[in-house]
Amino acid sequence: MTLFLPSLKQSGHLEQIHFTIFNVGSRKLSSNDDYASLGWDIFAPNLTIYGFDADADACDAANADLETRSVNWVEKHIPLILGKVKGESTLYVTKSLECSSLYQPNQTYLRRFSEVGEMTELEFQVEVETTTLDDFCKTEGIDQIDFLQTDVQGADLQVLQGAIGLLQKSVLAIQTEVVFSHLYLNQPLFSDVDTYLREQGLTLFDLRLAHRLRTQAPIGSAVRVGQLLWGDAYYFRDLIQPSSFQSNTASPDRIFKLACIADVMYFPDYALELLEYLTLNYGVDRKYNFANHIAIALSQFPDLVEEGLSSLPVIKNVRDYLDPEYAKLIT
């Protein structure tokens, strides 16, 4: 559950901004693949989502589902294969289509792990046309995106490299699949992705990890859950820390967008830090005074209320920006 966004929605702050999301590898296998189910629909109608997938049928199904639901935001799924450059490449199609990749499955290795060997069995390979996110945006006249998610079975670094213009200009946060062992032949690993994104001014915030046991082993451990194979990595910009990457992106509007993304992605501490920063540095403008929202959010925690919200450093810092009716929440 988000902490700050409900009150920001009620106050009209979310009406002042528009969010654009790119989801590369957008096949919807469960509710976790649907942005509305993950809470992003709170930004509607000021929300645009572009999904990209190699499977045209999956894109058609996603678009048909959206039409049936009559959503109040813009969302479209486009059958494109994205990579580092515009040109030709080989697509390796696997038994489970969602495991298909621009890299060949390392089948002898994958068979050693439970649950993944059969899914990644190679069915056939086909030559395909690839393009880049930068080229797509140039063709479509898209100036910036706020959040980028990639899940393309080992080719995530290629997608990110093909979005270098977007990364340098606008992207505030990224969720990308990373791999810690060569599940596909010659694929980049987590260290390669991490180095590249850090070079673009993004910082790793968290990892959601997937482990697997050996196929032939009838035993496991109560301490270890198997070998670490892949996961999702979460990266954010730090727009309040002076750096060479801040010159074109550190406006208060961009910082506010970053706070909203942090909240919807369950990093409320970072959202709080950003909202406090905006209040203290730009709070003379009501548009950037979030003291009331900070008080509302923290008052939802009984333990903090019992201890006394007024004793919290963040409340002490923003106290002078509180409206009288909200000041009562901290006494």
Side-chain angles (χ1 to χ4, degrees):
M1 179 178 178
T2 56
L3 186 59
F4 300 99
L5 289 175
S7 66
L8 291 170
K9 179 79 169 182
Q10 185 176 9
S11 66
H13 278 85
L14 300 186
E15 296 175 5
Q16 305 169 19
I17 54 176
H18 189 283
F19 283 89
T20 301
I21 297 171
F22 276 15
N23 181 10
V24 184
S26 63
R27 173 190 295 271
K28 295 188 178 184
L29 298 173
S30 70
S31 60
N32 288 331
D33 301 313
D34 181 75
Y35 278 95
S37 301
L38 300 176
W40 290 86
D41 58 330
I42 198 169
F43 301 119
N46 299 327
L47 174 66
T48 301
I49 300 171
Y50 290 90
F52 305 90
D53 201 276
D55 187 350
D57 290 338
C59 292
D60 289 342
N63 290 327
D65 175 63
L66 290 164
E67 187 173 349
T68 300
R69 289 157 56 190
S70 299
V71 300
N72 65 334
W73 64 88
V74 175
E75 181 172 348
K76 56 184 74 174
H77 293 257
I78 304 163
L80 284 178
I81 301 174
L82 295 162
K84 180 179 179 180
V85 296
K86 193 173 184 177
E88 292 187 354
S89 189
T90 301
L91 179 67
Y92 296 91
V93 181
T94 54
K95 184 173 183 179
S96 292
L97 290 178
E98 64 269 23
C99 296
S100 301
S101 175
L102 294 177
Y103 292 91
Q104 184 175 350
N106 189 358
Q107 291 183 274
T108 56
Y109 185 64
L110 286 161
R111 291 190 191 108
R112 294 167 60 190
F113 298 96
S114 63
E115 302 178 32
V116 296
E118 185 176 355
M119 296 173 62
T120 54
E121 288 291 334
L122 184 63
E123 294 279 285
F124 62 91
Q125 61 191 62
V126 60
E127 296 304 304
V128 295
E129 292 289 329
T130 63
T131 189
T132 70
L133 281 179
D134 281 345
D135 282 331
F136 173 82
C137 288
K138 183 178 180 180
T139 300
E140 297 295 320
I142 299 171
D143 293 327
Q144 65 177 34
I145 66 172
D146 302 298
F147 176 69
L148 170 61
Q149 179 176 348
T150 73
D151 183 352
V152 286
Q153 303 302 305
D156 299 83
L157 181 58
Q158 286 199 37
V159 174
L160 296 168
Q161 289 170 328
I164 183 66
L166 291 169
L167 293 181
Q168 293 180 345
K169 182 180 180 181
S170 66
V171 178
L172 293 171
I174 290 175
Q175 177 182 339
T176 184
E177 187 177 53
V178 291
V179 180
F180 299 91
S181 193
H182 284 102
L183 308 183
Y184 295 82
L185 298 176
N186 302 313
Q187 72 173 116
L189 299 179
F190 165 70
S191 58
D192 304 301
V193 174
D194 184 62
T195 297
Y196 177 75
L197 290 179
R198 289 182 185 276
E199 288 173 349
Q200 312 313 317
L202 289 136
T203 300
L204 178 66
F205 268 52
D206 197 13
L207 290 166
R208 183 174 64 188
L209 305 175
H211 302 75
R212 290 294 183 270
L213 297 171
R214 260 43 186 192
T215 302
Q216 300 301 324
I219 56 172
S221 166
V223 178
R224 306 295 180 195
V225 291
Q227 182 176 334
L228 172 61
L229 294 182
W230 74 87
D232 285 320
Y234 300 83
Y235 288 84
F236 286 85
R237 291 203 183 278
D238 185 352
L239 297 184
I240 63 176
Q241 179 69 30
S243 74
S244 60
F245 298 96
Q246 195 187 93
S247 57
N248 295 322
T249 56
S251 70
D253 285 340
R254 297 294 283 165
I255 296 172
F256 178 52
K257 275 192 172 186
L258 182 60
C260 291
I261 295 173
D263 197 27
V264 81
M265 295 186 68
Y266 303 106
F267 293 94
D269 60 315
Y270 190 34
L272 173 59
E273 181 185 37
L274 294 167
L275 294 175
E276 179 192 15
Y277 176 89
L278 287 168
T279 301
L280 296 178
N281 288 274
Y282 303 97
V284 292
D285 183 343
R286 293 287 299 181
K287 179 181 178 182
Y288 304 115
N289 178 357
F290 300 105
N292 296 339
H293 301 281
I294 291 172
I296 292 170
L298 296 181
S299 68
Q300 299 176 46
F301 296 87
D303 290 346
L304 294 180
V305 173
E306 185 176 348
E307 293 173 9
L309 294 181
S310 60
S311 65
L312 296 174
V314 64
I315 292 295
K316 291 179 180 179
N317 289 341
V318 303
R319 179 189 294 271
D320 292 342
Y321 293 88
L322 284 166
D323 291 340
E325 61 267 34
Y326 292 99
K328 297 176 182 178
L329 291 173
I330 67 170
T331 57

